[in-house]
Every structure is written in C-alpha cells, then in structure tokens.
Amino acid sequence: MSKLRIAVQKSGRLNEDSMRLLKDIGISIDNGKDQLKASAKGFPVEVFYLRNGDIPQYLKDGVVDAAIIGENVLIEKGESIGIVEKLGFSTCRVCIAVPKAANYNSIKDLEGKRIATSYPNTVQQFLDKNGVKANLHIINGSVEIAPNIGLADAICDIVSSGSTLFKNNLKEVDTILKSEAVLAVSPKLNQERKAILDTIQFRIQSVLKGRNSKYVLLNAPNDKLQDIIDVLPGMKSPTVLPLAEDGWSSVHSVISKNQFWNVIDDLKAKGAQGILVCPIEKMVL
C-alpha cells in the first residue's frame, strides 16, 4: 500500500507541537537522532523532518504529499499550495518593528527607508498595497539586530511574545498578518494518498474539537431544569438523568472553551450546583 509522505519542521516549537498532534491522532513515530525520514507504526505514513523554509518547494515538487507548516511560510513561499486545515497552535504574527526612539505614525513613515526581513515577498506585497516604496535587505537569521548595527531603519519578522523585540530596543508598530500552524497539501497529491490524508484530517478535527471543548456535569433542581438547559450550547442537546434525590437531575453537556466562563456564570445564576468540568481528549461527531 502507498504511504502518505508528510513533512514537519526539523526542530523547534513547531516540531514539538506537530509530533504531539500526530501522536494524539494515533500515528506513532520512532525516529532516531538526526534521522530525516521515519515510518509510522501501523499506519501508512512516512514523516520527513525538513527545514521550515524548504517545505513549500518540496510540496510544489510533489516530493512530500502534505506538511504541517507555519501559515506565514506558505504565504511567503508557497502561494500555489492549498491549506486543508488550520491547526490552532504555533501562533505568531508577522510584524513591522522600529527602534523605540523612532517617530512612527503609519506605514507611510517607511517611505524610502531600509527594512531588514526574512519575508521579502510578504513585506513587498504589504508595501505595494499601501503605496510605499522602501529598500528591502534580505536577512536569513537574527533580523532584530539590523537597526542596532545601522543596517536598517526597521525590520519585519515573526513575533510571538515580543520579548526579542524588547531586548533589542525595538517596538512593534504594524501587523502584516497573523499566522498559525496549518495542514498543507501538495498540488500533485494522487487519489490513493488523498484517501490517507482524509483519514488523518478527520482524526485531526476530532482532536482539535476535543482540545477546544470541555465536558460539564452539574446538578440541577427540576423546577429550574429548563432554564439551565437553555443556557447550555451542547452538541445536540444535553443529557439529563434523574438523581436519587427527588426533585433533582444530573445534566451533562459540552461547552466551547471560548464560551466557558460566561456559560458557567450563567449556570450558577440559574441554580446549577456541583458543577464538574473535565477535559475532552477527542470528539468524534
């Protein structure tokens, strides 16, 4: 049987998050130190460990069939590559930053200035969109040092916490795009391997839904039961079971993490008691 070839970043936080996701969907990889390719146990998948910036070209050429990669890298280098699933981890943003002492009011202030970046295509598109002409200095490495050594007036780079900018006496002034890890697919993917990818995508969706949800159990007085049920956004409808004590029921439901505290506050206000909250490993709908 044919194997799906999936690329992940060779090292770093995106690698760790990607391997954790593969493990959660039942794909076990036994790779040795510095190994560039490894096969999964009991599943038709080969994992390639590659430099993040090289992955888009491997996808274009059909050397790999799919990849877990930063969306920002695809926007920079993989405009013809499709995204089939956003994964919600390894979030960052691509930002313009200038020295803290610089006077900056808008992107127009970069007219004629020097910008150091590892994302020339992304930056150029942003400048063109805003009618600004600037000189780009392409740097593969520590972009943040460029203004301090007189190489550039501003930089454009990925930002997570902003601590690296702070340490280099820079301030974030414009966000070009927000990025997260995505599941990308080669335009040369054949039907046999697409069937394997569909299975992987289904499993990923189940894991992501679980990560973004909480299982809630609570006790409700029967005279307030309908009011409490009306608060719960469950998958279809809450499960309601009678308790041993007359006049009370146990209610089970699922709450989105984004709505969680607001829903809990409403439940308490409606008379819910003994609220228990449990993590969900996977949700198969």
PDB file of all heavy atoms in Angstrom, residues 165-184:
ATOM      1  N   LEU A 165      11.957  41.517  20.578  1.00  0.00           N
ATOM      2  CA  LEU A 165      11.941  42.921  20.168  1.00  0.00           C
ATOM      3  C   LEU A 165      12.343  43.816  21.335  1.00  0.00           C
ATOM      4  O   LEU A 165      13.153  44.738  21.176  1.00  0.00           O
ATOM      5  CB  LEU A 165      10.548  43.311  19.661  1.00  0.00           C
ATOM      6  CG  LEU A 165      10.037  42.644  18.388  1.00  0.00           C
ATOM      7  CD1 LEU A 165       8.654  43.171  18.033  1.00  0.00           C
ATOM      8  CD2 LEU A 165      10.997  42.851  17.229  1.00  0.00           C
ATOM      9  N   PHE A 166      11.787  43.550  22.485  1.00  0.00           N
ATOM     10  CA  PHE A 166      12.071  44.362  23.679  1.00  0.00           C
ATOM     11  C   PHE A 166      13.567  44.330  24.017  1.00  0.00           C
ATOM     12  O   PHE A 166      14.167  45.369  24.309  1.00  0.00           O
ATOM     13  CB  PHE A 166      11.250  43.845  24.855  1.00  0.00           C
ATOM     14  CG  PHE A 166      11.466  44.615  26.137  1.00  0.00           C
ATOM     15  CD1 PHE A 166      10.819  45.821  26.356  1.00  0.00           C
ATOM     16  CD2 PHE A 166      12.338  44.129  27.106  1.00  0.00           C
ATOM     17  CE1 PHE A 166      11.027  46.527  27.522  1.00  0.00           C
ATOM     18  CE2 PHE A 166      12.555  44.831  28.280  1.00  0.00           C
ATOM     19  CZ  PHE A 166      11.893  46.040  28.494  1.00  0.00           C
ATOM     20  N   LYS A 167      14.154  43.148  23.945  1.00  0.00           N
ATOM     21  CA  LYS A 167      15.575  43.002  24.277  1.00  0.00           C
ATOM     22  C   LYS A 167      16.460  43.758  23.288  1.00  0.00           C
ATOM     23  O   LYS A 167      17.572  44.160  23.636  1.00  0.00           O
ATOM     24  CB  LYS A 167      15.953  41.524  24.283  1.00  0.00           C
ATOM     25  CG  LYS A 167      15.350  40.737  25.435  1.00  0.00           C
ATOM     26  CD  LYS A 167      15.682  39.259  25.294  1.00  0.00           C
ATOM     27  CE  LYS A 167      15.003  38.442  26.389  1.00  0.00           C
ATOM     28  NZ  LYS A 167      15.243  36.981  26.216  1.00  0.00           N
ATOM     29  N   ASN A 168      15.984  43.939  22.074  1.00  0.00           N
ATOM     30  CA  ASN A 168      16.760  44.636  21.050  1.00  0.00           C
ATOM     31  C   ASN A 168      16.324  46.083  20.873  1.00  0.00           C
ATOM     32  O   ASN A 168      16.618  46.710  19.849  1.00  0.00           O
ATOM     33  CB  ASN A 168      16.657  43.891  19.719  1.00  0.00           C
ATOM     34  CG  ASN A 168      17.485  42.622  19.696  1.00  0.00           C
ATOM     35  OD1 ASN A 168      18.679  42.647  19.427  1.00  0.00           O
ATOM     36  ND2 ASN A 168      16.864  41.502  20.005  1.00  0.00           N
ATOM     37  N   ASN A 169      15.601  46.601  21.884  1.00  0.00           N
ATOM     38  CA  ASN A 169      15.210  48.019  21.898  1.00  0.00           C
ATOM     39  C   ASN A 169      14.333  48.397  20.706  1.00  0.00           C
ATOM     40  O   ASN A 169      14.443  49.488  20.149  1.00  0.00           O
ATOM     41  CB  ASN A 169      16.460  48.909  21.937  1.00  0.00           C
ATOM     42  CG  ASN A 169      16.164  50.282  22.527  1.00  0.00           C
ATOM     43  OD1 ASN A 169      15.340  50.419  23.442  1.00  0.00           O
ATOM     44  ND2 ASN A 169      16.816  51.307  22.001  1.00  0.00           N
ATOM     45  N   LEU A 170      13.427  47.471  20.336  1.00  0.00           N
ATOM     46  CA  LEU A 170      12.518  47.715  19.217  1.00  0.00           C
ATOM     47  C   LEU A 170      11.074  47.712  19.705  1.00  0.00           C
ATOM     48  O   LEU A 170      10.755  47.119  20.731  1.00  0.00           O
ATOM     49  CB  LEU A 170      12.691  46.625  18.148  1.00  0.00           C
ATOM     50  CG  LEU A 170      14.066  46.491  17.506  1.00  0.00           C
ATOM     51  CD1 LEU A 170      14.092  45.267  16.604  1.00  0.00           C
ATOM     52  CD2 LEU A 170      14.439  47.737  16.730  1.00  0.00           C
ATOM     53  N   LYS A 171      10.207  48.356  18.939  1.00  0.00           N
ATOM     54  CA  LYS A 171       8.778  48.354  19.245  1.00  0.00           C
ATOM     55  C   LYS A 171       7.992  47.915  18.016  1.00  0.00           C
ATOM     56  O   LYS A 171       8.324  48.231  16.881  1.00  0.00           O
ATOM     57  CB  LYS A 171       8.311  49.740  19.699  1.00  0.00           C
ATOM     58  CG  LYS A 171       8.512  50.852  18.661  1.00  0.00           C
ATOM     59  CD  LYS A 171       8.088  52.214  19.208  1.00  0.00           C
ATOM     60  CE  LYS A 171       8.307  53.316  18.168  1.00  0.00           C
ATOM     61  NZ  LYS A 171       7.940  54.657  18.698  1.00  0.00           N
ATOM     62  N   GLU A 172       6.958  47.147  18.252  1.00  0.00           N
ATOM     63  CA  GLU A 172       6.081  46.661  17.191  1.00  0.00           C
ATOM     64  C   GLU A 172       5.128  47.777  16.785  1.00  0.00           C
ATOM     65  O   GLU A 172       4.449  48.356  17.624  1.00  0.00           O
ATOM     66  CB  GLU A 172       5.315  45.458  17.726  1.00  0.00           C
ATOM     67  CG  GLU A 172       4.409  44.778  16.752  1.00  0.00           C
ATOM     68  CD  GLU A 172       3.703  43.593  17.387  1.00  0.00           C
ATOM     69  OE1 GLU A 172       4.267  42.972  18.310  1.00  0.00           O
ATOM     70  OE2 GLU A 172       2.564  43.309  16.966  1.00  0.00           O
ATOM     71  N   VAL A 173       5.050  48.066  15.479  1.00  0.00           N
ATOM     72  CA  VAL A 173       4.230  49.193  15.034  1.00  0.00           C
ATOM     73  C   VAL A 173       3.144  48.808  14.025  1.00  0.00           C
ATOM     74  O   VAL A 173       2.171  49.543  13.864  1.00  0.00           O
ATOM     75  CB  VAL A 173       5.112  50.314  14.434  1.00  0.00           C
ATOM     76  CG1 VAL A 173       5.957  50.963  15.526  1.00  0.00           C
ATOM     77  CG2 VAL A 173       5.991  49.793  13.301  1.00  0.00           C
ATOM     78  N   ASP A 174       3.302  47.687  13.320  1.00  0.00           N
ATOM     79  CA  ASP A 174       2.289  47.264  12.349  1.00  0.00           C
ATOM     80  C   ASP A 174       2.291  45.744  12.255  1.00  0.00           C
ATOM     81  O   ASP A 174       3.357  45.117  12.247  1.00  0.00           O
ATOM     82  CB  ASP A 174       2.570  47.845  10.957  1.00  0.00           C
ATOM     83  CG  ASP A 174       1.656  49.021  10.630  1.00  0.00           C
ATOM     84  OD1 ASP A 174       0.439  48.890  10.861  1.00  0.00           O
ATOM     85  OD2 ASP A 174       2.171  50.055  10.154  1.00  0.00           O
ATOM     86  N   THR A 175       1.100  45.163  12.169  1.00  0.00           N
ATOM     87  CA  THR A 175       0.978  43.723  11.970  1.00  0.00           C
ATOM     88  C   THR A 175       0.552  43.460  10.526  1.00  0.00           C
ATOM     89  O   THR A 175      -0.504  43.914  10.086  1.00  0.00           O
ATOM     90  CB  THR A 175      -0.058  43.120  12.935  1.00  0.00           C
ATOM     91  OG1 THR A 175       0.383  43.318  14.278  1.00  0.00           O
ATOM     92  CG2 THR A 175      -0.211  41.625  12.690  1.00  0.00           C
ATOM     93  N   ILE A 176       1.375  42.730   9.798  1.00  0.00           N
ATOM     94  CA  ILE A 176       1.078  42.418   8.405  1.00  0.00           C
ATOM     95  C   ILE A 176       0.106  41.248   8.308  1.00  0.00           C
ATOM     96  O   ILE A 176      -0.846  41.270   7.534  1.00  0.00           O
ATOM     97  CB  ILE A 176       2.374  42.100   7.632  1.00  0.00           C
ATOM     98  CG1 ILE A 176       3.246  43.367   7.539  1.00  0.00           C
ATOM     99  CG2 ILE A 176       2.069  41.565   6.242  1.00  0.00           C
ATOM    100  CD1 ILE A 176       4.542  43.154   6.781  1.00  0.00           C
ATOM    101  N   LEU A 177       0.353  40.213   9.105  1.00  0.00           N
ATOM    102  CA  LEU A 177      -0.552  39.054   9.099  1.00  0.00           C
ATOM    103  C   LEU A 177      -0.395  38.261  10.383  1.00  0.00           C
ATOM    104  O   LEU A 177       0.616  38.379  11.080  1.00  0.00           O
ATOM    105  CB  LEU A 177      -0.287  38.157   7.881  1.00  0.00           C
ATOM    106  CG  LEU A 177       1.098  37.498   7.752  1.00  0.00           C
ATOM    107  CD1 LEU A 177       1.127  36.124   8.417  1.00  0.00           C
ATOM    108  CD2 LEU A 177       1.477  37.349   6.275  1.00  0.00           C
ATOM    109  N   LYS A 178      -1.439  37.496  10.700  1.00  0.00           N
ATOM    110  CA  LYS A 178      -1.412  36.576  11.835  1.00  0.00           C
ATOM    111  C   LYS A 178      -1.329  35.154  11.296  1.00  0.00           C
ATOM    112  O   LYS A 178      -1.955  34.831  10.291  1.00  0.00           O
ATOM    113  CB  LYS A 178      -2.649  36.760  12.708  1.00  0.00           C
ATOM    114  CG  LYS A 178      -2.691  38.122  13.393  1.00  0.00           C
ATOM    115  CD  LYS A 178      -3.909  38.265  14.290  1.00  0.00           C
ATOM    116  CE  LYS A 178      -3.912  39.626  14.980  1.00  0.00           C
ATOM    117  NZ  LYS A 178      -5.104  39.799  15.848  1.00  0.00           N
ATOM    118  N   SER A 179      -0.541  34.330  11.971  1.00  0.00           N
ATOM    119  CA  SER A 179      -0.243  33.007  11.446  1.00  0.00           C
ATOM    120  C   SER A 179      -0.417  31.938  12.512  1.00  0.00           C
ATOM    121  O   SER A 179      -0.344  32.208  13.708  1.00  0.00           O
ATOM    122  CB  SER A 179       1.208  32.992  10.922  1.00  0.00           C
ATOM    123  OG  SER A 179       1.603  31.692  10.541  1.00  0.00           O
ATOM    124  N   GLU A 180      -0.653  30.707  12.059  1.00  0.00           N
ATOM    125  CA  GLU A 180      -0.695  29.537  12.919  1.00  0.00           C
ATOM    126  C   GLU A 180      -0.253  28.341  12.089  1.00  0.00           C
ATOM    127  O   GLU A 180      -0.093  28.441  10.866  1.00  0.00           O
ATOM    128  CB  GLU A 180      -2.104  29.303  13.466  1.00  0.00           C
ATOM    129  CG  GLU A 180      -3.139  29.012  12.388  1.00  0.00           C
ATOM    130  CD  GLU A 180      -4.546  28.908  12.954  1.00  0.00           C
ATOM    131  OE1 GLU A 180      -4.915  27.797  13.378  1.00  0.00           O
ATOM    132  OE2 GLU A 180      -5.261  29.936  12.961  1.00  0.00           O
ATOM    133  N   ALA A 181      -0.029  27.224  12.749  1.00  0.00           N
ATOM    134  CA  ALA A 181       0.308  26.009  12.014  1.00  0.00           C
ATOM    135  C   ALA A 181      -0.890  25.552  11.193  1.00  0.00           C
ATOM    136  O   ALA A 181      -2.041  25.664  11.630  1.00  0.00           O
ATOM    137  CB  ALA A 181       0.734  24.911  12.981  1.00  0.00           C
ATOM    138  N   VAL A 182      -0.612  25.033   9.998  1.00  0.00           N
ATOM    139  CA  VAL A 182      -1.671  24.550   9.115  1.00  0.00           C
ATOM    140  C   VAL A 182      -1.252  23.206   8.525  1.00  0.00           C
ATOM    141  O   VAL A 182      -0.069  22.860   8.488  1.00  0.00           O
ATOM    142  CB  VAL A 182      -1.967  25.541   7.962  1.00  0.00           C
ATOM    143  CG1 VAL A 182      -2.469  26.867   8.494  1.00  0.00           C
ATOM    144  CG2 VAL A 182      -0.725  25.746   7.088  1.00  0.00           C
ATOM    145  N   LEU A 183      -2.252  22.461   8.071  1.00  0.00           N
ATOM    146  CA  LEU A 183      -2.011  21.242   7.306  1.00  0.00           C
ATOM    147  C   LEU A 183      -2.131  21.628   5.834  1.00  0.00           C
ATOM    148  O   LEU A 183      -3.214  21.993   5.372  1.00  0.00           O
ATOM    149  CB  LEU A 183      -3.011  20.153   7.674  1.00  0.00           C
ATOM    150  CG  LEU A 183      -2.872  18.815   6.943  1.00  0.00           C
ATOM    151  CD1 LEU A 183      -1.531  18.158   7.257  1.00  0.00           C
ATOM    152  CD2 LEU A 183      -4.025  17.880   7.302  1.00  0.00           C
ATOM    153  N   ALA A 184      -1.004  21.571   5.131  1.00  0.00           N
ATOM    154  CA  ALA A 184      -0.964  21.961   3.722  1.00  0.00           C
ATOM    155  C   ALA A 184      -0.804  20.725   2.850  1.00  0.00           C
ATOM    156  O   ALA A 184      -0.276  19.699   3.287  1.00  0.00           O
ATOM    157  CB  ALA A 184       0.190  22.923   3.479  1.00  0.00           C
TER     158      ALA A 184
END
